[in-house]
Amino acid sequence: MSGKQLGREEMFVTGLRCLRCGVRYASGAVEYVCACRSNQGSDLGTLDVEYDYAAVSRAVTPEQLRAEADRSIGRFWPLLPIGGREQLPPLPVGGTPLLGVPRLRASTGLTQLWVKDDGRNPSASFKDRASAIAVARARREGRAVVATASTGNAAAALAGQAAAAGQKSVIFVPKSAPPAKIAQLLVYGSTVLAVEGSYDDAFDLCTVACHTFGWYNRSTGYNPYMTEGKKTVSYEIALQLAEQRGAAAPMQAPDAVFVSVGDGCIIGGVHKGFKDLVALGWIERMPRMYGVQSTLSPALHNAWRSGAEIPVPVRATTRADSISVDAPRDPVKALAAVRESGGAYVLVEDAAILQAILPLARLGGVFAEPAGATAYAGLLQAWCDGLVQPEETLVVINTGSGLKDVRAAMEVTGEVRVIEPSLAAVRDALGL
Ligand SMILES: *Cc1c(COP(=O)(O)O)cnc(C)c1O
């Protein structure tokens, strides 16, 4: 199952290393996970993609990255497992705004709070960053089909990127995925299979189907290259914080980053991005990573608490469907992100998650889906718990647009008022 001879992409990628047993592979010598992974359902044997940072820093400088007209992740191509930016699908991803949110700052007293709004990607979630890489690699390997299991957003992202590139895609989602997400898949023209079961059931089915039919598997925590797409958010944050400080300011890491966590691939990617920047000498220190989970889907939080290497599966029931995960698929990277950066896992109730949608929208102008608002709810919790200081530079990543799940939002806004079409009715309704 090894990939084709890879050619130019080997210029910067030196290989893949197993995060459990430490074995190194040349790229192309292994496809998804290390041979040490047992078939017992444990999600170890995750691979980390390694780069020749000296060669990267000869090929590109932070100044060049800043001067690029291209704001998409393509500008980071020497740090991506692709041969060149032209291999990415023609539907640009990334380059999302880092918002200064003055009214949220005033309401919280956190004077250097920023919201990175990744709901503004082409399919309206953070997952576009990874799916662009999946389609680039599937095409390069000449695969007829790229497939994924997803709670919804990874699938929508894959469907959109695949559509733009003319690549066939097969998607496995739990039947319970919100209708807007399923609509996206159908509209983009993917073959959609709604599995009678949980996300975890969909995941296992997708893995078997890819092995059986020779499809390219994008599934999170299994395909090692998804981390590489997700890490681009950290490059953007460090560049955007620098831009705020003036034309010649060096790249700047925030003090802490808040991100919601389901499988743990995003937080692992955010961590990898900042680690790359430290390795390149482009930033001086790592930000602290805070992973936020619902009390109704707390597997990684529990593992972090207990010091475990593998999370004990839970029965996840959170309303924030994108982070509703029984057995996280990317636990090694997710736990390392928090442990190595001196951050923490933070738990929030579902009620706090849904409530957090309102200030983000009403004071920040950002409409987040529940899993996106979870990061902000986690920041508020961390602030209460004394984990952050008011002057620190804090970045909350909104991972998905609120239009993905309007029913959840309307649980906290209440229903709309219906009136007769008359001025009297307006007066009546508003007490004028
Ligand atoms: C996938 C997703 C997450 C969680 O990412 P993981 O890699 O599963 O931890 C959070 N928010 C949104 C909107 C997502 O789609």
Side-chain angles (χ1 to χ4, degrees):
M1 293 281 284
S2 82
K4 287 195 184 136
Q5 206 37 51
L6 302 183
R8 189 147 88 86
E9 30 299 286
E10 259 41 70
M11 209 149 64
F12 303 110
V13 174
T14 54
L16 298 100
R17 189 175 59 89
C18 175
L19 294 176
R20 172 163 60 176
C21 72
V23 158
R24 282 199 159 75
Y25 296 88
S27 29
V30 61
E31 193 157 37
Y32 301 115
V33 290
C34 181
C36 78
R37 182 178 175 116
S38 71
N39 293 323
Q40 310 305 311
S42 96
D43 287 304
L44 297 174
T46 317
L47 297 172
D48 182 41
V49 183
E50 297 189 315
Y51 296 82
D52 178 349
Y53 292 110
V56 170
S57 63
R58 283 192 297 273
V60 65
T61 65
E63 293 70 34
Q64 283 170 332
L65 288 174
R66 273 175 76 163
E68 283 254 13
D70 175 11
R71 297 277 103 181
S72 77
I73 64 171
R75 70 180 149 147
F76 306 120
W77 73 268
L79 285 156
L80 295 175
I82 57 174
R85 69 177 82 191
E86 68 286 351
Q87 294 188 358
L88 292 168
L91 182 60
V93 165
T96 57
L98 183 71
L99 303 167
V101 292
R103 296 185 69 214
L104 274 178
R105 290 179 180 182
S107 88
T108 55
L110 299 167
T111 60
Q112 289 301 313
L113 172 60
W114 302 86
V115 175
K116 177 71 170 164
D117 188 9
D118 253 53
R120 296 215 220 166
N121 273 302
S123 80
S125 90
F126 190 103
K127 299 293 199 298
D128 283 323
R129 295 181 185 274
S131 289
I133 304 291
V135 172
R137 291 196 64 92
R139 283 207 295 171
R140 210 200 47 210
E141 293 192 14
R143 300 300 184 86
V145 171
V146 54
T148 196
S150 167
T151 56
N153 284 339
L158 183 66
Q161 292 292 313
Q167 169 81 46
K168 274 210 176 73
S169 59
V170 176
I171 309 279
F172 298 82
V173 286
K175 210 181 72 178
S176 58
K181 295 183 181 180
I182 293 188
Q184 275 188 298
L185 306 175
L186 296 170
V187 165
Y188 284 130
S190 290
T191 302
V192 185
L193 301 170
V195 179
E196 195 89 58
S198 66
Y199 165 57
D200 300 83
D201 297 324
F203 192 103
D204 294 336
L205 185 56
C206 179
T207 308
V208 175
C210 285
H211 277 301
T212 308
F213 306 123
W215 300 340
Y216 189 73
N217 191 347
R218 179 233 178 271
S219 287
T220 285
Y222 185 68
N223 186 318
Y225 298 105
M226 298 306 93
T227 307
E228 304 307 299
K230 290 176 176 181
K231 73 184 182 182
T232 55
V233 75
S234 303
Y235 305 161
E236 290 179 13
I237 290 169
L239 285 166
Q240 287 169 313
L241 286 175
E243 277 160 16
Q244 302 291 334
R245 302 210 303 178
M251 279 174 121
Q252 191 204 331
D255 292 301
V257 181
F258 284 80
V259 57
S260 63
V261 176
D263 279 313
C265 186
I266 293 182
I267 196 168
V270 174
H271 185 222
K272 176 77 180 278
F274 287 115
K275 278 198 296 187
D276 282 351
L277 297 181
V278 169
L280 286 159
W282 293 353
I283 59 172
E284 276 163 16
R285 58 186 169 77
M286 284 296 296
R288 311 191 302 279
M289 307 282 144
Y290 291 94
V292 188
Q293 292 208 292
S294 165
T295 52
L296 300 179
S297 181
L300 280 163
H301 167 271
N302 295 348
W304 170 74
R305 258 274 128 102
S306 68
E309 192 188 357
I310 315 172
V312 177
V314 295
R315 283 283 303 273
T317 56
T318 174
R319 189 75 176 71
D321 63 289
S322 299
I323 51 169
S324 188
V325 173
D326 295 352
R329 301 293 173 161
D330 214 349
V332 179
K333 291 177 183 175
L335 290 168
V338 166
R339 286 177 176 148
E340 290 173 13
S341 71
Y345 272 94
V346 177
L347 278 190
V348 289
E349 307 266 345
D350 268 24
I353 290 174
L354 293 183
Q355 278 304 327
I357 292 173
L358 297 182
L360 261 182
R362 293 178 179 179
L363 301 175
V366 174
F367 183 14
E369 71 163 89
T374 298
Y376 185 66
L379 168 68
L380 297 178
Q381 185 62 49
W383 184 199
C384 278
D385 295 345
L387 297 175
V388 297
Q389 300 303 313
E391 314 291 306
E392 286 189 312
T393 300
L394 306 170
V395 175
V396 169
I397 301 177
N398 171 34
T399 42
S401 163
L403 295 174
K404 297 270 196 175
D405 188 356
V406 293
R407 272 197 221 139
M410 289 190 69
E411 279 179 32
V412 277
T413 57
E415 290 301 318
V416 68
R417 196 175 335 177
V418 179
I419 61 164
E420 297 293 321
S422 75
L423 199 53
V426 175
R427 284 210 174 89
D428 220 35
L430 303 183
L432 296 170

